[in-house]
Amino acid sequence: MKQKVPTHTAEARKPAETKYNDVPFAILFLLHVAFIAFIAFTSGMDELNGKLKDSGSTYKVDPASSEDASNSVNVGTTTVGGIVATLIAAMIVSSLFMKLATILAEDLIHVTMKFTIGLMLVLALIFMATGVIFAAIIYLVFVAIFVCYYRAVQDRIPFAGANLSIACTVVKRFPQLVMAAFATLVLNFLWMALWAVAMLGVAAPGQERSIIVNSGSFDSSLCVDVANGNAFPWKEESDISCPIYEGTGEKNDQPPGCCFCQSGDNTGYDLESSCSSGIGMDSLTYFGMLISFYWGGQVLQNIMHCTTAGTVASWWFTSDMGMSPVFDSFSRAMTWSFGSICFGSLLVAILKAVRQMLREARKNKNAQLFLCVIDCLLGVIEELLKIFNRYAFCFVAIYGHDFKTAGRAVFDLFKRLGWTTIINDDLIDMVLNVGSLGVGGITALFGYLYAVACGLDDSWQVLLAIIGFLFGFVMSSITLSVVSSAVATIFVCFADAPAAFFQTHPEHANKLTNAWQQFHGEDMSVCNYRRYQTGGGY
């Protein structure tokens, strides 16, 4: 069946009317951030200062240790030098991996697939040799599945490789994207800190709240914690006391304690948990705070995604961009498209909050299996929603659509190229994830060798190796997250507007189209993609 090939050009990126999309969600998000900041800087800061004051202590220097001061200074200087050297090494190795992915993207996909299959096979043999037969069988089943998958996607790998190569080319062309990604990471840390302080304020013990026990609801000021094995402070004698806790045998198992409440002649108790168990707030408030936490993080992440998508689209549709389009794309994400970003991010945030509540509810052993099944199903829905948002925000950034219109465009894209989209993402994400681990491993080895060369003891060698891995993994993950956004944008643009690419970057367009034909073959001619190639009559 013939499919209509979209022929969007650069003019398609200029809406007839520029407007703010999904404004109510932008207003709701900003009001929510203002509320979190208000709580953090009022009751939250008071509670934090109180905790710091309660835990404050003075440190006295032992005169006997002063003779080791010079050695400590030397170790400290060497360690700081190692941290700086490891950070530089992480930057260099990440850049080299980007270069490698640009030149040998297709080969990297093959190597990653074979490495994954080989690693699982080795683990299966290890489990078999140690007598853990069930685990060995599970890994052998996964090996068989991956081998079949690898054989099935052979023809799709060239296109995924070309997509990855071009994405790396664009990211190297606009290094400001990587700097913006690091800035987003810093903002994410600041948001988490602000939210954590607000959480202290919401859950402050001094605030009035209700505690529900067997006989009803009591104000928290009328309740006390009672340790397991101790008697309740009854006004009159009673045989009921907090039962002795026998333990579960699990790691970090702690006695739950009990709660006793009394108001006049009305008394109540909870034999399974203390008054202060949990976070000290009702479930609805906790759920709202969870949504807040995830919503803020998702918005920051998707602003960066839209900034990357807009930049890649500008490169796709325009050969002469003049000044860097990164700032323009960021400006659109923070203005016209901000409401759409808040809308899509809220959906994922609610789902994440629901799953977190389910995970905590699974502490109730009577419902663990049921809640585990529900959590797994919601996990699948969450992953599908993330994929949907990933491409919806590409349409938001490219054409300035509102979130609903972008959603319809994504459904149309999946209807035409659903499995190709999923497999393309899977192949490339596998390379990016393994690449991040590889960069982390190399910088960990560098940190370890540095410590050995400087004569540091074993503990410092391990520490610098761990720091090296973290630097390398985080550095490459941030860089490659930008590449991942670029990959999705290139796929959307190729499926939706191939004509513009042949006008602006014919060499890259031919590379992508030739790779596509290796799997789709004759479908390319039937769908009229071939006519966009150089010399094809366009």
Side-chain angles (χ1 to χ4, degrees):
M1 182 179 68
K2 291 187 178 182
Q3 297 176 336
K4 181 180 178 182
V5 177
T7 56
H8 290 154
T9 63
E11 294 300 316
R13 300 198 67 221
K14 300 176 182 178
E17 180 184 0
T18 302
K19 63 177 183 178
Y20 291 95
N21 293 318
D22 300 308
V23 174
F25 292 95
I27 295 174
L28 181 62
F29 178 78
L30 294 175
L31 288 175
H32 135 264
V33 172
F35 174 75
I36 292 296
F38 174 77
I39 295 296
F41 287 108
T42 52
S43 58
M45 288 302 296
D46 291 340
E47 182 67 17
L48 179 62
N49 289 332
K51 288 184 177 295
L52 292 176
K53 188 178 296 183
D54 292 340
S55 62
S57 59
T58 58
Y59 177 74
K60 296 181 179 180
V61 178
D62 182 5
S65 65
S66 60
E67 61 187 29
D68 297 326
S70 59
N71 292 333
S72 299
V73 171
N74 291 334
V75 170
T77 303
T78 304
T79 304
V80 171
I83 292 174
V84 173
T86 304
L87 178 61
I88 295 173
M91 297 171 63
I92 294 173
V93 176
S94 297
S95 300
L96 290 176
F97 181 80
M98 280 275 292
K99 183 70 174 178
L100 189 65
T102 304
I103 301 172
L104 301 171
E106 186 177 338
D107 293 329
L108 277 179
I109 295 175
H110 283 289
V111 170
T112 301
M113 289 294 296
K114 292 175 181 177
F115 172 78
T116 304
I117 293 170
L119 180 62
M120 288 191 295
L121 183 59
V122 169
L123 290 173
L125 294 175
I126 291 174
F127 280 121
M128 192 174 296
T130 54
V132 189
I133 304 301
F134 180 75
I137 293 174
I138 295 295
Y139 272 100
L140 287 174
V141 170
F142 278 116
V143 168
I145 292 173
F146 265 77
V147 169
C148 293
Y149 176 69
Y150 182 42
R151 289 174 61 87
V153 300
Q154 287 287 321
D155 294 336
R156 299 177 186 264
I157 290 177
F159 178 77
N163 192 344
L164 176 58
S165 176
I166 295 172
C168 290
T169 299
V170 179
V171 173
K172 289 195 298 181
R173 169 71 174 78
F174 302 107
Q176 302 96 323
L177 287 172
V178 178
M179 290 186 284
F182 277 101
T184 302
L185 180 65
V186 173
L187 289 175
N188 228 323
F189 279 124
L190 292 176
W191 165 249
M192 287 189 289
L194 181 69
W195 181 89
V197 175
M199 191 68 160
L200 284 176
V202 172
Q207 295 185 6
E208 294 183 0
R209 62 175 60 84
S210 297
I211 295 178
I212 299 176
V213 290
N214 67 322
S215 61
S217 178
F218 288 80
D219 186 89
S220 59
S221 61
L222 302 173
C223 300
V224 293
D225 290 334
V226 179
N228 288 100
N230 291 349
F232 287 135
W234 298 96
K235 288 185 178 179
E236 299 178 359
E237 290 188 9
S238 174
D239 295 334
I240 301 176
S241 61
C242 187
I244 297 174
Y245 183 65
E246 297 180 355
T248 62
E250 298 178 359
K251 186 178 180 180
N252 298 325
D253 182 32
Q254 295 290 334
C258 301
C259 181
F260 180 82
C261 302
Q262 189 165 259
S263 176
D265 295 330
N266 185 23
T267 59
Y269 52 85
D270 184 346
L271 300 179
E272 296 183 355
S273 61
S274 64
C275 308
S276 56
S277 63
I279 58 167
M281 67 177 75
D282 61 87
S283 297
L284 186 60
T285 302
Y286 182 42
F287 181 63
M289 290 299 291
L290 284 176
I291 292 176
S292 168
F293 175 76
Y294 291 122
W295 197 11
Q298 284 291 310
V299 167
L300 289 172
Q301 178 182 323
N302 290 323
I303 287 173
M304 186 63 230
H305 178 57
C306 285
T307 300
T308 302
T311 303
V312 173
S314 297
W315 176 83
W316 181 282
F317 286 96
T318 311
S319 55
D320 183 14
M321 289 168 289
M323 297 182 65
S324 171
V326 176
F327 181 75
D328 290 339
S329 299
F330 174 74
S331 298
R332 288 195 300 272
M334 292 300 296
T335 51
W336 318 120
S337 301
F338 186 67
S340 301
I341 292 172
C342 294
F343 186 3
S345 300
L346 179 60
L347 299 178
V348 176
I350 292 174
L351 201 53
K352 281 181 170 291
V354 170
R355 291 193 66 201
Q356 180 60 34
M357 294 291 286
L358 282 174
R359 281 192 287 268
E360 297 198 10
R362 284 168 61 182
K363 295 176 183 178
N364 180 357
K365 296 184 178 181
N366 296 326
Q368 277 189 343
L369 180 60
F370 174 74
L371 293 176
C372 181
V373 172
I374 298 298
D375 187 33
C376 289
L377 292 175
L378 289 178
V380 173
I381 295 173
E382 181 185 336
E383 290 304 313
L384 292 175
L385 185 56
K386 285 181 181 178
I387 294 172
F388 177 85
N389 274 5
R390 171 180 165 89
Y391 286 95
F393 287 133
C394 286
F395 282 101
V396 166
I398 295 169
Y399 300 117
H401 292 332
D402 60 78
F403 189 73
K404 291 181 181 178
T405 305
R408 288 193 291 269
V410 173
F411 279 120
D412 178 63
L413 175 68
F414 284 176
K415 185 178 179 180
R416 291 187 288 125
L417 302 167
W419 281 112
T420 300
T421 309
I422 301 299
I423 293 173
N424 185 71
D425 269 4
D426 182 64
L427 291 172
I428 293 175
D429 284 347
M430 191 178 297
V431 172
L432 299 182
N433 292 334
V434 173
S436 294
L437 291 172
V439 172
I442 292 173
T443 49
L445 179 61
F446 176 85
Y448 173 77
L449 294 177
Y450 177 93
V452 171
C454 293
L456 297 177
D457 60 29
D458 292 346
S459 61
W460 289 107
Q461 292 170 13
V462 173
L463 178 61
L464 282 179
I466 293 173
I467 291 174
F469 177 82
L470 292 176
F471 278 166
F473 181 78
V474 171
M475 185 82 64
S476 58
S477 294
I478 292 173
T479 303
L480 297 180
S481 68
V482 178
V483 173
S484 181
S485 296
V487 163
T489 309
I490 289 170
F491 188 90
V492 168
C493 290
F494 182 72
D496 207 50
F501 201 33
F502 281 98
Q503 293 175 336
T504 56
H505 304 282
E507 181 181 351
H508 291 301
N510 281 313
K511 178 180 180 180
L512 204 57
T513 305
N514 290 334
W516 177 272
Q517 286 178 330
Q518 291 189 40
F519 174 73
H520 291 275
E522 188 177 336
D523 288 344
M524 296 293 294
S525 300
V526 172
C527 294
N528 295 322
Y529 274 82
R530 188 182 295 278
R531 69 187 179 92
Y532 298 124
Q533 290 180 280
T534 303
Y538 181 78

